[in-house]
Amino acid sequence: MPSASPVPRGPSVLVLGQPGELVTRPGCPACRYVAEAADRYLAWFALEAHGDAGMVTRLSASLGMCAPHTRVLMSQPGAAPRLTVVYRYVLQAVPGQLAARRWRPDPCPACEQAASATGRVLDMVADGLADPGFRSGYAAAGGLCLPHLHAVLRQCRRGPASWLAGVALDRLQGQAWPAALLTGELDPGTGGRARRGAALSQDCPAGGCPACHAALRGEQARLGQAARPGGADAAQCAGHLDDSLAAAGPLAGAMLAVQGAHQAGLLALAQDRRRSVRRRSAAAARGCAVCRERAAAGRRELGRRAAAGAPWPPLCVRHVLELRTFDSGAGEQAAAVAAGRAAVLAAELAEDSGARARQARGAGRSAWRRAAAFLDGAIGATAA
């Protein structure tokens, strides 16, 4: 396992000073802080943490990072040699994990870092609401985007929650407001699924995970429904709403109006001091219809193939684990196929590592990309 030199346990935490410092410029302060923290974390991974034994152990337990954050890692300069070494060790752990009776991947380390950063900045916003000066600056800067606003409403008392909802309602009732108010300022790795998947064919490519491909087809179909007149769904996550707006073209304005009206209704509930905070925010936590359809489409494909009883094609590791939750027999067959594939890919990565070390034939090799897609087929379906 790589351990060239001691590295810090994590990047330095971005310092949050006084709450008033968050609202000195327009835009969502939480989006700004979380994006800066994410950039620092992923840069730290590229510069140092990829060679830390503790980080590689974490990635082995989480099957690498999630698809959005992996796409960012794959786009960084020098990604090929770095991820070749990392995935070599991650893949060596896969057969043992597949053989375990019950095993669920740990959370993505970058997602955990983002959640921690979000918690820090929202706590500071909540603390700052007691200061009239902070409130004035918050309202002048435009306040939180709605995804972060709903998160902070769940931790505020009734009075501050009502005031925050009122500021957002004022923005929604203005003549013009940006889509970022509804979606937040999305990380480059998390938005734009529709645009990256626009060229998707109906047939799964050779070696691709059929369940991931079915899930992406289901996602595309549901997004297409949302982009048609009258099809804007009131329950979409920020990333899928961003995709729907991009796909809607000239209908984007009408979709924004529908989403704005839906959010205005939720915020009106949040202003009602007679309701508990938990009850007021319940409607905002129902989940994204596009995300649900994507997960359901992948599961239907697994069920269809399990019922057919045919030899299992290569599934990504995440879908093998999902298959095992509802069909242990088929799951064992798929796990055996996946374990063999992991061994082959690990051997290829070991060969590539040696070739790169000797400055030979490594530049054009793609085993590290195939390893990423094998761990999570969503990466292969959308990554260049």
Side-chain angles (χ1 to χ4, degrees), residues 83-104:
L83 295 182
T84 292
V85 175
V86 169
Y87 283 136
R88 175 185 174 188
Y89 290 102
V90 173
L91 285 175
Q92 288 176 356
V94 167
Q97 294 163 344
L98 290 173
R101 290 182 59 85
R102 292 185 179 181
W103 185 78
R104 183 182 297 276

Side-chain angles (χ1 to χ4, degrees), residues 178-201:
L181 174 62
L182 294 181
T183 65
E185 298 175 12
L186 294 172
D187 184 284
T190 61
R193 283 176 292 264
R195 294 184 289 284
R196 278 193 293 268
L200 179 68
S201 67

Side-chain angles (χ1 to χ4, degrees), residues 16-210:
L16 283 169
Q18 298 300 314
E21 297 174 11
L22 293 173
V23 292
T24 56
R25 48 186 168 140
C28 173
C31 285
R32 186 163 53 244
Y33 178 81
V34 172
E36 291 174 359
D39 287 346
R40 179 173 294 200
Y41 184 86
L42 295 174
W44 170 71
F45 177 88
L47 292 173
E48 300 181 20
H50 68 276
D52 176 40
M55 173 59 76
V56 173
T57 299
R58 288 188 68 190
L59 292 173
S60 297
S62 63
L63 296 177
M65 293 193 188
C66 66
H69 283 120
T70 298
R71 284 192 284 269
V72 177
L73 297 182
M74 295 171 78
S75 69
Q76 292 174 326
R82 183 162 54 244
L83 295 182
T84 292
V85 175
V86 169
Y87 283 136
R88 175 185 174 188
Y89 290 102
V90 173
L91 285 175
Q92 288 176 356
V94 167
Q97 294 163 344
L98 290 173
R101 290 182 59 85
R102 292 185 179 181
W103 185 78
R104 183 182 297 276
D106 285 354
C108 163
C111 287
E112 287 190 314
Q113 180 275 338
S116 177
T118 301
R120 288 195 298 272
V121 70
L122 293 184
D123 284 344
M124 178 159 280
V125 169
D127 291 343
L129 293 174
D131 178 8
F134 175 83
R135 289 195 181 201
S136 177
Y138 178 94
L144 295 166
C145 67
L146 295 185
H148 282 126
L149 176 62
H150 286 302
V152 82
L153 287 178
R154 290 192 284 271
Q155 69 187 62
C156 278
R157 299 187 308 276
R158 295 183 185 181
S162 178
W163 184 85
L164 286 169
V167 172
L169 272 172
D170 288 343
R171 288 191 70 189
L172 286 174
Q173 291 166 359
Q175 293 298 314
W177 36 270
L181 174 62
L182 294 181
T183 65
E185 298 175 12
L186 294 172
D187 184 284
T190 61
R193 283 176 292 264
R195 294 184 289 284
R196 278 193 293 268
L200 179 68
S201 67
Q202 293 299 309
D203 299 319
C204 183
C209 172

Side-chain angles (χ1 to χ4, degrees), residues 149-374:
L149 176 62
H150 286 302
V152 82
L153 287 178
R154 290 192 284 271
Q155 69 187 62
C156 278
R157 299 187 308 276
R158 295 183 185 181
S162 178
W163 184 85
L164 286 169
V167 172
L169 272 172
D170 288 343
R171 288 191 70 189
L172 286 174
Q173 291 166 359
Q175 293 298 314
W177 36 270
L181 174 62
L182 294 181
T183 65
E185 298 175 12
L186 294 172
D187 184 284
T190 61
R193 283 176 292 264
R195 294 184 289 284
R196 278 193 293 268
L200 179 68
S201 67
Q202 293 299 309
D203 299 319
C204 183
C209 172
C212 283
H213 199 74
L216 190 54
R217 286 202 308 270
E219 178 186 51
Q220 295 293 312
R222 191 66 185 82
L223 284 171
Q225 293 173 15
R228 291 197 290 269
D233 197 295
Q236 291 188 54
C237 65
H240 280 129
L241 177 56
D242 184 59
D243 287 339
S244 296
L245 290 169
L251 298 174
M255 180 178 291
L256 274 172
V258 170
Q259 294 291 329
H262 171 67
Q263 290 293 336
L266 295 179
L267 293 170
L269 287 176
Q271 276 195 309
D272 186 349
R273 299 190 183 204
R274 295 169 297 178
R275 297 173 181 266
S276 70
V277 172
R278 181 170 296 181
R279 187 175 177 185
R280 280 180 274 145
S281 62
R286 292 173 183 164
C288 170
V290 183
C291 289
R292 291 198 304 269
E293 176 55 29
R294 176 171 182 141
R299 194 175 182 89
R300 286 195 299 269
E301 179 66 12
L302 291 174
R304 184 184 71 79
R305 290 180 178 269
W312 278 95
L315 295 175
C316 71
V317 177
R318 293 184 186 274
H319 273 119
V320 172
L321 295 171
E322 182 175 1
L323 177 63
R324 289 178 55 188
T325 64
F326 66 90
D327 191 322
S328 58
E332 289 181 4
Q333 296 177 36
V337 173
R341 190 178 180 195
V344 170
L345 278 170
E348 289 186 44
L349 290 169
E351 181 181 354
D352 283 3
S353 297
R356 292 188 204 285
R358 297 189 301 273
Q359 296 184 348
R361 69 169 183 156
R365 306 281 283 194
S366 63
W368 65 281
R369 289 187 177 274
R370 287 182 282 116
F374 168 63

